[in-house]
């Protein structure tokens, strides 16, 4: 099966194989593995030891987004969320659910945030302390670029929380180059091509404060505190040890491929093959080429389209895509990430063509 879903993604056999073992989290051999993973992740995020810390949390991406907002935005502080996608909506909802003040700033889901958007949003909400945005919007496939947003926030003296769940490892980002960033968050099962189970936050140490999170379980300060007291190989709660063992192998494969630039190049080419292939098949992309990011492609559903029927027909031919859409209007949602070669993407596009030809009424 060729899995073209934007997480969990297709993984390499070696990565999956690393899960087939029993592991005790407190075992000294495994503590060393875990401590090394944290070091590697910190380095990948451009973190400076002492200034930044890698703070893993059991669970899915939304948990770490919530933990970051709780642990880094002062109670009584307010965030602004530019609403250009389905994942931005979740950031807004989970921040409000946690009891924080969150302002929605309207931006269409077909383009990234501009410098003018950021300026206008803070002019409207000057009391807001943080801008919480999604790097790669896994809703429609656009990208909000930190190199555009960052300088505006620095000039305004505002802070950034970056949901890089579907970007980290593929799109470039360095905490050192973005002093306005309090936290970047991501999970094991997207562009690093690991298995689901663990989420990561790389945060500024000076932005964490005891008792701020208002949640005992989602408190990143406490995770840092335990690392400082008991070592970087120690856990607060039972971790998904198999997912971590697999993640370590996934990081080896990531390095062997050539790291972030090589991964981005492979994904970009997957996106190009898919985007141009879809145009040739008569499908209309949801996002203009200039705004199209490398992580997912969304295509307008043709009139009378049966999404589940299309998904089932593709699956019968060995290609699996999402059977739901995350755009404002109905779309077909296809991931470009995971352990998928350019040749496999070419093959997948050909299979899409076969399915469309067989289901389009003749004449
Ligand atoms: C996948 C994703 C998440 C988290 O999803 P979970 O199902 O909670 O792991 C968050 N933000 C973005 C941008 C994502 O792509």
């Amino acid at each position: 099966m060729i899995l073209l879903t934007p997480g969990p993604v297709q993984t390499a056999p070696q990565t999956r194989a690393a899960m087939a073992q029993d592991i005790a989290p407190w075992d000294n051999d495994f503590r060393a593995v875990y401590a090394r993973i944290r070091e590697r992740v910190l380095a990948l995020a451009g973190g400076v030891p002492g200034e930044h810390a890698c703070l893993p949390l059991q669970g899915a991406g939304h948990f770490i987004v919530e933990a970051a907002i709780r642990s880094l935005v002062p109670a009584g502080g307010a965030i602004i969320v530019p609403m250009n996608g389905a994942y931005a909506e979740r950031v807004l909802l989970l921040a409000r659910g946690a009891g924080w003040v969150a302002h929605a700033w309207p931006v269409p889901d077909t383009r990234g945030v501009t410098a003018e958007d950021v300026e206008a949003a803070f002019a409207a909400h000057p009391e807001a302390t943080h801008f919480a945005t999604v790097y790669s919007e896994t809703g429609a496939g656009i990208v909000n670029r930190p190199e555009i947003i960052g300088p505006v926030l620095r000039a305004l003296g505002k802070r950034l929380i970056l949901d890089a769940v579907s970007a980290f490892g593929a799109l470039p980002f360095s905490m050192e180059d973005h002093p306005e960033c309090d936290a970047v968050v991501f999970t094991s099962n997207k562009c690093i091509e690991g298995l689901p189970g663990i989420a990561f936050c790389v945060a500024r140490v000076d932005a964490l404060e005891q008792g701020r999170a208002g949640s005992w379980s989602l408190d990143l300060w406490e995770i840092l505190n335990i690392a400082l007291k008991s070592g970087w190989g120690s856990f607060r709660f039972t971790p998904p040890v198999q997912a971590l063992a697999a993640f370590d192998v996934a990081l080896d494969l990531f390095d062997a491929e050539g790291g972030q630039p090589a991964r981005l190049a492979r994904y970009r080419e997957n996106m190009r093959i898919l985007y141009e292939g879809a145009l040739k098949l008569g499908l209309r992309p949801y996002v203009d080429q200039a705004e199209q990011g490398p992580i997912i492609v969304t295509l307008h559903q043709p009139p009378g389209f049966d999404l589940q029927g299309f998904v089932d027909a593709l699956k019968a031919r060995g290609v699996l895509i999402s059977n739901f859409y995350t755009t404002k209007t109905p779309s077909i949602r296809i991931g470009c990430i995971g352990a998928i070669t350019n040749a496999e993407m070419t093959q997948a596009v050909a299979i899409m063509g076969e399915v469309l030809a067989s289901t389009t009424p003749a004449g």
Side-chain angles (χ1 to χ4, degrees):
M1 191 69 74
I2 300 177
L3 201 59
L4 299 183
T5 51
V9 297
Q10 184 121 320
T11 55
Q14 307 94 295
T15 303
R16 295 193 296 274
M19 295 189 75
Q21 54 179 321
D22 291 315
I23 301 166
W26 42 261
D27 180 71
N28 281 337
D29 288 341
F30 192 73
R31 283 175 63 92
V33 171
Y34 182 48
R36 191 178 65 232
I37 287 174
R38 293 174 86 166
E39 261 172 45
R40 293 174 88 176
V41 166
L42 184 67
L44 251 177
V48 179
E51 195 176 324
H52 305 105
C54 171
L55 305 168
L57 182 72
Q58 297 82 344
H62 291 92
F63 302 4
I64 197 75
V65 177
E66 179 173 341
I69 288 171
R70 284 178 170 278
S71 304
L72 293 153
V73 181
I79 67 169
I80 296 174
V81 184
M83 300 300 290
N84 54 355
Y87 286 85
E89 252 161 60
R90 286 137 180 242
V91 172
L92 186 84
L93 291 178
L94 64 83
R96 286 180 177 169
W100 265 250
V101 175
H103 300 292
W105 188 255
V107 179
D109 73 346
T110 46
R111 67 160 176 87
V113 165
T114 61
E116 292 71 36
D117 290 325
V118 185
E119 280 161 4
F122 280 100
H125 302 289
E127 84 290 1
T129 50
H130 286 69
F131 197 68
T133 192
V134 176
Y135 193 169
S136 161
E137 234 315 334
T138 333
I142 52 135
V143 173
N144 291 315
R145 293 163 58 187
E147 66 272 27
I148 289 179
I149 296 165
V152 184
L153 295 180
R154 292 201 286 277
L156 294 171
K158 304 295 183 182
R159 314 293 310 158
L160 175 66
I161 292 191
L162 190 61
D163 171 354
V165 175
S166 70
F168 194 86
L171 292 171
F173 186 76
S174 161
M175 289 294 280
E176 201 179 2
D177 296 345
H178 287 274
E180 77 285 0
C181 186
D182 278 347
V184 58
V185 301
F186 75 100
T187 59
S188 50
N189 59 279
K190 292 197 179 177
C191 300
I192 303 291
E193 302 181 0
L195 281 302
I198 188 98
F200 296 88
C201 176
V202 173
R204 286 194 69 87
V205 170
D206 64 8
L208 291 161
E209 199 178 289
Q210 185 170 14
R212 180 180 270 184
S215 160
W216 197 74
S217 303
L218 299 178
D219 187 348
L220 295 180
W221 181 88
E222 197 57 52
I223 296 173
L224 173 67
N225 190 37
I226 282 170
L228 294 175
K229 276 205 306 224
S230 314
W232 296 92
S234 45
F235 293 96
R236 191 168 173 224
F237 306 122
T238 302
V241 278
Q242 284 79 12
L244 280 162
F247 189 74
D248 196 38
V249 174
L251 283 173
D252 290 342
L253 296 177
F254 176 82
D255 288 344
E257 186 177 358
Q260 175 268 322
R263 190 135 301 182
L264 177 60
R266 176 162 58 83
Y267 290 174
R268 243 192 227 301
E269 183 62 8
N270 280 348
M271 178 275 283
R272 193 194 61 78
I273 292 164
L274 175 57
Y275 194 97
E276 290 176 6
L279 282 172
K280 283 201 192 108
L281 293 175
L283 294 165
R284 196 160 56 89
Y286 190 88
V287 171
D288 288 345
Q289 199 130 32
E291 293 286 342
Q292 176 62 58
I295 307 301
I296 74 161
V297 169
T298 51
L299 306 160
H300 287 285
Q301 290 184 20
F305 190 74
D306 168 18
L307 180 62
Q308 188 65 56
F310 182 67
V311 171
D312 291 343
L314 283 180
K315 187 175 165 191
R317 290 167 172 82
V319 176
L320 195 57
I321 67 165
S322 299
N323 67 351
F324 57 91
Y325 60 88
T326 47
T327 44
K328 290 262 192 292
T329 58
S331 64
I332 306 167
R333 179 179 196 251
I334 306 171
C336 309
I337 61 176
I340 302 288
T341 63
N342 297 157
E344 283 171 318
M345 185 57 96
T346 302
Q347 191 191 338
V349 171
I351 292 170
M352 279 175 224
E354 284 169 26
V355 168
L356 285 172
S358 70
T359 52
T360 305

